[in-house]
Amino acid sequence: MIKRSLPYEGLLHEIVEHDGVLYLGGIVPEDTGLDMAGQADDVLRQLKTLLDGAGSDLSCVLQVTIYVTNLADKAALNQVWKRYFAADHLPARAAVGVADLGPGVKLELTAIAARR
């Protein structure tokens, strides 16, 4: 079982594996000064890196939940999304509007992926 703790929290894991399924906790942008497209690119890059390190990849992502502070920003998010996910490997996805994710954070992502 893979468990990778976030260095700044100590209260949760960024990835937990169970029976070949990877559960990725909330991924937020490292640079909160970016616009939605920049933050989306940051978060999806982190997702790709985490999956690569766990022996998986974006084609194995089964489900994604994205929490956004402004649902009007979904168009910018979708443009970035297309650069990371091929049309024939799209995961199930939900976008949920929330009031606040922290200072400057426009989105947070959780995902479930299979091991490659």
Side-chain angles (χ1 to χ4, degrees):
M1 177 181 294
I2 293 174
K3 287 186 179 180
R4 293 200 172 99
S5 293
L6 294 169
Y8 58 88
E9 286 289 337
L11 301 174
L12 53 105
H13 297 292
E14 59 187 359
I15 299 177
V16 175
E17 179 183 9
H18 181 73
D19 288 339
V21 178
L22 301 167
Y23 299 86
L24 291 93
I27 302 170
V28 295
E30 293 172 340
D31 184 350
T32 58
L34 300 170
D35 63 5
M36 174 54 89
Q39 288 194 20
D41 186 64
D42 186 343
V43 166
L44 290 169
R45 179 190 46 75
Q46 288 182 64
L47 174 63
K48 180 182 182 318
T49 299
L50 288 167
L51 290 170
D52 289 346
S56 189
D57 60 43
L58 290 172
S59 71
C60 296
V61 175
L62 305 171
Q63 192 273 334
V64 173
T65 302
I66 303 169
Y67 303 92
V68 296
T69 56
N70 185 350
L71 288 170
D73 285 339
K74 279 178 55 179
L77 169 63
N78 288 338
Q79 290 296 61
V80 176
W81 186 265
K82 292 176 189 178
R83 294 197 316 255
Y84 284 85
F85 291 99
D88 60 342
H89 286 98
L90 292 173
R93 185 181 105 173
V96 180
V98 298
D100 186 34
L101 292 168
V105 178
K106 298 180 184 314
L107 76 155
E108 181 172 344
L109 178 146
T110 65
I112 300 171
R115 194 177 253 297
R116 191 176 28 212

